[in-house]
Amino acid sequence: MDRRTFLTYNAVAAAVPLSGAMMTGIAQAASAAARPAPIDFKSNLPAKGSFPEKWICGSSSCMDNTDPPVQVHWYNPHTAILRQNKAYSYEAPFAPLYFGNDRVLLLDEGFTQLRNEWDLRGVVDQCINEWCARNGRDPASLELLVAYSHLHGDHYMAVNQFADRPNTRYMGQTHEEMVGFWGMTNFPEERVTLDLGGRDILIWGSPGHVVSEFAYYDSYTQILYTGDMFYRGRCYISFWQPWFDSMKRLIDFCDTHPVTHVMGCHVEISKDGQDYAYGMTWQPDEAPVEMTVQQLREAFAHAQKITEPGIYFTGTVFLCNQTRGTTTIDRNPYRYG
């Protein structure tokens, strides 16, 4: 299997790590004997976890900022959430890191390219090393999957840092490669299951912000990750009807599956509902990243009343219907609701 085939090979279908598949019977038995018992990701759900009271959120002077480029918060022992410092990028995207018995999934990579600018790969490797040390695992035995919610620079830019990392597979950067990475044949309606080794991630299409976009549901924490399609801030909706249909799929999913939190990839709003202007690098009183299913339902109910382009506040998020070049400060030519 050549490098390109390995990188783009259907991540859902390749449920058995390559290292295990290539072992001889004797080596495989020896490895199994030395390996700790698998972690149970199926019982006592949802797995408990917590978000920090306050994230690193930039500073009034980026030049004088002393916080690390990325904050690592362990939601629980098997789930880390990374957040880029706003002093390094006003986008300040979040990036969940999900651990299974065989694989690790990193969702979204932040707005950086070079490791000497800030070393996301080093941070991810450190998280993997910490998890393996706690659980008696060999870091080399875990396959890393690097994926994105959608194809905007602040979500995939750092993928180059992982290009030469061993036992790592990452999403391609065309619609066909992204859909094929998850083995989908009926985008966006089809829902597929990624097995990380006893821990299942459910994935389906969620276009509207852009065309090639995905929603991710972790069956262990029961967190629904919605990327830029729905988050605390300005939800830029490029294609209204596909976004509306995607919202309906999210609502239908929540009707049939337990969801502890809805989590987007950004925060652009204060705790009292005030918008932080585009490009802000300091958000001292920002709202939490996590949202509720009820807030998702309220936003969808609000969306059902929208009939023309504009910026509409739902009480939780700004729905920016076909106003990508317009911020909440601009009043023309779109109406506000």
Side-chain angles (χ1 to χ4, degrees):
M1 180 181 291
D2 62 32
R3 179 66 178 169
R4 181 173 179 82
T5 302
F6 173 74
L7 293 178
T8 60
Y9 185 60
N10 182 347
V12 172
V16 179
L18 291 180
S19 57
M22 296 172 65
M23 283 181 173
T24 63
I26 296 176
Q28 193 171 25
S31 175
R35 179 172 175 166
I39 297 164
D40 180 8
F41 292 106
K42 304 288 188 180
S43 304
N44 302 315
L45 302 180
K48 293 182 179 180
S50 64
F51 290 90
E53 292 186 9
K54 185 178 182 64
W55 292 93
I56 289 176
C57 53
S59 59
S60 56
S61 170
C62 292
M63 185 173 62
D64 299 321
N65 184 273
T66 58
D67 294 321
V70 61
Q71 177 179 356
V72 177
H73 173 75
W74 287 92
Y75 176 84
N76 64 31
H78 307 298
T79 308
I81 301 175
L82 283 53
R83 201 266 177 103
Q84 187 173 357
N85 187 340
K86 283 190 74 73
Y88 285 74
S89 169
Y90 65 85
E91 296 284 5
F94 290 82
L97 190 63
Y98 299 128
F99 288 82
N101 285 299
D102 302 316
R103 302 157 126 188
V104 185
L105 173 64
L106 173 65
L107 290 178
D108 291 330
E109 283 75 69
F111 210 6
T112 186
Q113 284 185 297
L114 304 176
R115 295 188 69 180
N116 60 5
E117 179 183 18
W118 67 269
D119 188 7
L120 174 66
R121 173 173 158 180
V123 172
V124 171
D125 283 344
Q126 180 60 35
C127 289
I128 292 174
N129 289 338
E130 289 179 13
W131 185 87
C132 287
R134 290 198 302 264
N135 294 280
R137 305 299 175 90
D138 177 5
S141 69
L142 292 177
E143 181 183 42
L144 175 64
L145 298 176
V146 180
Y148 350 111
S149 58
H150 66 288
L151 207 61
H152 276 157
D154 53 317
H155 298 260
Y156 76 87
M157 195 71 76
V159 71
N160 291 335
Q161 295 189 15
F162 299 88
D164 61 347
R165 187 183 185 279
N167 206 16
T168 300
R169 182 159 42 241
Y170 53 84
M171 244 183 187
Q173 296 180 6
T174 68
H175 177 78
E176 290 75 18
E177 287 177 317
M178 295 174 77
V179 171
F181 189 75
W182 299 129
M184 293 180 180
T185 57
N186 184 28
F187 178 90
E189 290 84 4
E190 182 182 8
R191 186 189 306 156
V192 299
T193 300
L194 169 67
D195 181 6
L196 296 178
R199 182 175 186 170
D200 293 337
I201 308 294
L202 306 185
I203 308 163
W204 64 95
S206 193
H209 174 62
V210 295
V211 172
S212 307
E213 194 166 5
F214 303 87
Y216 298 88
Y217 173 78
D218 172 32
S219 61
Y220 180 60
T221 62
Q222 298 179 355
I223 293 175
L224 176 60
Y225 183 69
T226 52
D228 275 13
M229 184 263 181
F230 183 77
Y231 68 93
R232 289 235 197 220
R234 297 176 295 275
C235 299
Y236 290 113
I237 304 166
S238 301
F239 309 100
W240 178 257
Q241 191 58 50
W243 179 88
F244 189 89
D245 294 342
S246 293
M247 283 290 284
K248 181 64 167 58
R249 276 190 293 274
L250 291 178
I251 296 296
D252 290 345
F253 183 86
C254 292
D255 286 341
T256 56
H257 294 77
V259 175
T260 54
H261 306 285
V262 179
M263 178 183 169
C265 194
H266 303 282
V267 173
E268 299 167 347
I269 195 171
S270 68
K271 291 178 181 177
D272 61 357
Q274 297 299 308
D275 174 52
Y276 285 112
Y278 186 80
M280 290 287 289
T281 56
W282 188 33
Q283 297 180 173
D285 194 37
E286 67 179 11
V289 65
E290 68 272 22
M291 298 173 286
T292 66
V293 172
Q294 182 58 32
Q295 288 169 324
L296 179 71
R297 295 186 189 280
E298 290 169 356
F300 183 61
H302 200 118
Q304 294 178 62
K305 304 173 185 177
I306 296 175
T307 58
E308 59 185 272
I311 300 175
Y312 305 85
F313 185 51
T314 71
T316 304
V317 304
F318 291 96
L319 301 181
C320 303
N321 178 17
Q322 302 169 74
T323 61
R324 182 66 185 180
T326 307
T327 76
T328 50
I329 299 174
D330 303 317
R331 293 288 172 174
N332 292 309
Y334 300 105
R335 68 183 293 275
Y336 278 64

